[in-house]
Amino acid sequence: MKSNRRNFLKVSGLAGIGLAGGAGIMSGNAGAPDGEQTVYPCSLQQGGKHFNMSGYAAPKIETVRIGFVGLGNRGPGAVNRMSRIDGVEIKALCDVRPDRAEKVKKSLEKTKHRPDLYTAGENDWKKMCERKDLDLIYIATPWKLHAPMAVYAMEQGKHAASEVPAAVTLEECWQLVETSEKTKKHCMILENCCYDFFELMTLNMARQGFFGEIVHTEGAYIHHLLDSNFDKDGYYDMWRLKENLRNGSLYPTHGLGPIAQVLNINRGDRMDYLVSVSSNDFMMGETARELAAKDDFYKPYVNKTFRGNMNTTTIRTVNGKTLMVQHDVTSPRPYSRIHLVSGTKGTALKYPEPRISTNHEGWIGQDELKVLEEKYAPPIVTRVGEMAKQIGGHGGMDFLMDWRLIDCLRNGIPLDIDVYDAAAWSAVAPLSEASVANRSKTVDIPDFTSGSWKTNSPVDVTLAKGGNTKVLISAR
Ligand SMILES: NC(=O)c1ccc[n+]([C@@H]2O[C@H](COP(=O)([O-])OP(=O)(O)OC[C@H]3O[C@@H](n4cnc5c(N)ncnc54)[C@H](O)[C@@H]3O)[C@@H](O)[C@H]2O)c1
């Protein structure tokens, strides 16, 4: 795929980049002496004409006909949630494991949905995408399949919604952007954490100036997945353990998405560059050795170089704001996405307990917090929040996300999360790998919007348009 936006510039000091699949152009540079100039993909030179998908309103779709691919741990919940939204028809289910698809089909027996199954091998999802009677492909497969599936879906005239991250290489990020612009099909990254209640509240507070000028934000994915990653019956074909052989911030978007929205990234500001630092691995290699001593299944994972357990990535924006994103899925720590918003007039922090402050003396009390929660609950929460909690999915945020996606498609209004967000948020993983592999050197973050970030409108939190899609609480 050629584009004059994807110019390959020489950036000094970035040597030996180990980008996974980085457009194939990276391979020749691996192992270059430190300090030498290295060919590196960068979009600092713009000027390529593009159709701007930010703020793009696709034609209204009265009934959104969905095909799902990937029905492992995550996919079935999405099917269940979508079956509870008016104006949705679940027409197709795809998984390489037939029993997974059959089980989900069975769960829909008491609903109006009668999906066809696509289970004839690892490429049957293409047949599903080629159907003429689908509007949206919903992707919940292992990471490596997200971008190929989203690109193919858009090429077949379908909107694509992909689980996080939307891509694992920079090349894939660009493919998503270029395909979405070319086909005028949406490509949403399903970043459910943008729809969690505290995150939505702080986004609304930021819009209304509560924090003053926002200076610094923090997000994270700190989630003890050591046991699940090594569980033979956990992820399909041990895909998630294998991903941990890359070294960087592999799963940045749960922490990054909400703070990027608060900072209007791609809509008034842009992530400019990052530096990324990883610790050593002190747990995964040892776990592999311990398990392999009792079970040959684990022998292939012995003496492998696993991801450093804690990765810290710091990003600076063009407007001079900072974002810190951490990734740790091995330490036995309580779960945290941090979600810190720090401004000239106020601060919010979600973990370990939601807190707000307006001065240096301490956090406001629970009663005051309740008042703020009511005052700053955005319209999506007042309209659908309680029903979302009943239906569930990480406490309701998954349902809010799915409902908003369908409501936007049905009303022909722009999505909250577009292809530039999908690309920029996902790109932090391969870019952090590049920085980590180069003694944490600075890495430029491409401008996937090709300059449109300067004029793109912020995410609409008002529900001024749409908001009329009904929720079918008892769809069974
Ligand atoms: N947003 C969230 O909160 C959240 C939570 C959990 C998982 N996820 C994401 O969801 C995705 C899936 O995760 P999971 O935990 O369900 O993994 P999983 O391994 O349980 O499920 C993946 C499914 O994809 C299927 N699959 C693999 N190759 C396929 C192919 N070629 N064609 C069709 N189906 C194929 C597998 O059979 C499996 O059922 C991942 O991207 C993960 O990061 C997101």
Side-chain angles (χ1 to χ4, degrees), residues 129-405:
C129 292
E130 287 157 12
R131 273 173 74 145
K132 298 278 176 262
D133 59 350
L134 294 180
D135 303 298
L136 172 68
I137 302 295
Y138 197 109
I139 301 161
T141 50
W143 300 344
K144 280 197 167 71
L145 292 169
H146 291 178
M149 287 175 165
V151 165
Y152 195 73
M154 289 186 279
E155 281 170 347
Q156 297 304 312
K158 318 298 187 283
H159 297 300
S162 167
E163 261 305 340
V164 300
V168 288
T169 67
L170 270 193
E171 173 66 12
E172 286 182 349
C173 292
W174 279 115
Q175 280 175 9
L176 293 178
V177 168
E178 292 177 354
T179 311
S180 178
E181 290 177 353
K182 185 181 73 189
T183 59
K184 297 190 177 58
K185 291 295 163 191
H186 290 301
C187 178
M188 174 179 170
I189 179 169
L190 292 162
E191 188 36 82
N192 47 342
C193 300
C194 292
Y195 293 89
D196 211 349
F197 294 81
F198 190 77
E199 283 84 336
L200 283 170
M201 179 181 82
T202 52
L203 178 60
N204 200 17
M205 291 167 89
R207 285 283 182 285
Q208 298 188 39
F210 182 92
F211 303 110
E213 188 75 50
I214 296 168
V215 179
H216 174 72
T217 56
E218 296 180 9
Y221 188 62
I222 296 173
H223 189 187
H224 185 244
L225 293 176
L226 187 64
D227 300 338
S228 330
N229 279 339
F230 277 96
D231 183 352
K232 275 187 200 174
D233 303 316
Y235 302 105
Y236 171 73
D237 194 28
M238 306 298 283
W239 68 265
R240 208 155 174 166
L241 180 60
K242 291 171 190 165
E243 290 288 357
N244 279 272
L245 296 166
R246 297 159 53 207
N247 195 6
S249 186
L250 302 190
Y251 203 55
T253 70
H254 284 336
L256 176 58
I259 55 179
Q261 286 190 331
V262 158
L263 288 174
N264 290 332
I265 298 298
N266 295 333
R267 298 173 178 77
D269 200 355
R270 178 173 89 67
M271 295 191 290
D272 192 4
Y273 60 83
L274 62 77
V275 289
S276 187
V277 185
S278 280
S279 71
N280 281 356
D281 166 48
F282 295 93
M283 285 172 267
M284 301 191 78
E286 199 178 317
T287 305
R289 272 192 301 281
E290 279 169 16
L291 290 168
K294 293 179 252 161
D295 186 345
D296 284 354
F297 175 84
Y298 292 102
K299 285 226 161 104
Y301 302 102
V302 174
N303 295 329
K304 289 278 188 288
T305 307
F306 284 103
R307 170 189 54 72
N309 301 144
M310 169 58 87
N311 175 274
T312 303
T313 299
T314 306
I315 301 164
R316 188 182 149 94
T317 75
V318 171
N319 292 346
K321 315 291 182 77
T322 50
L323 306 87
M324 189 279 284
V325 180
Q326 289 193 318
H327 176 267
D328 179 353
V329 294
T330 34
S331 301
R333 291 173 57 167
Y335 180 91
S336 174
R337 301 198 301 271
I338 302 178
H339 193 64
L340 171 83
V341 180
S342 176
T344 54
K345 292 189 176 154
T347 312
L349 177 64
K350 181 167 178 182
Y351 293 88
E353 292 292 334
R355 293 276 188 254
I356 301 286
S357 140
T358 52
N359 57 49
H360 71 279
E361 283 158 9
W363 305 104
I364 63 169
Q366 288 304 307
D367 292 346
E368 276 179 275
L369 183 62
K370 257 204 155 49
V371 173
L372 288 183
E373 278 169 0
E374 268 165 40
K375 182 171 175 196
Y376 289 104
I380 186 172
V381 169
T382 43
R383 197 152 323 163
V384 211
E386 277 314 308
M387 290 184 278
K389 282 178 187 164
Q390 280 183 52
I391 291 167
H394 291 109
M397 66 179 176
D398 297 356
F399 185 78
L400 287 180
M401 171 183 72
D402 290 332
W403 176 85
R404 176 70 175 151
L405 166 62

Side-chain angles (χ1 to χ4, degrees), residues 64 66 82 85 88 402-410:
V64 182
I66 312 180
M82 284 296 191
I85 301 176
V88 161
D402 290 332
W403 176 85
R404 176 70 175 151
L405 166 62
I406 297 302
D407 193 56
C408 288
L409 292 176
R410 295 187 69 229

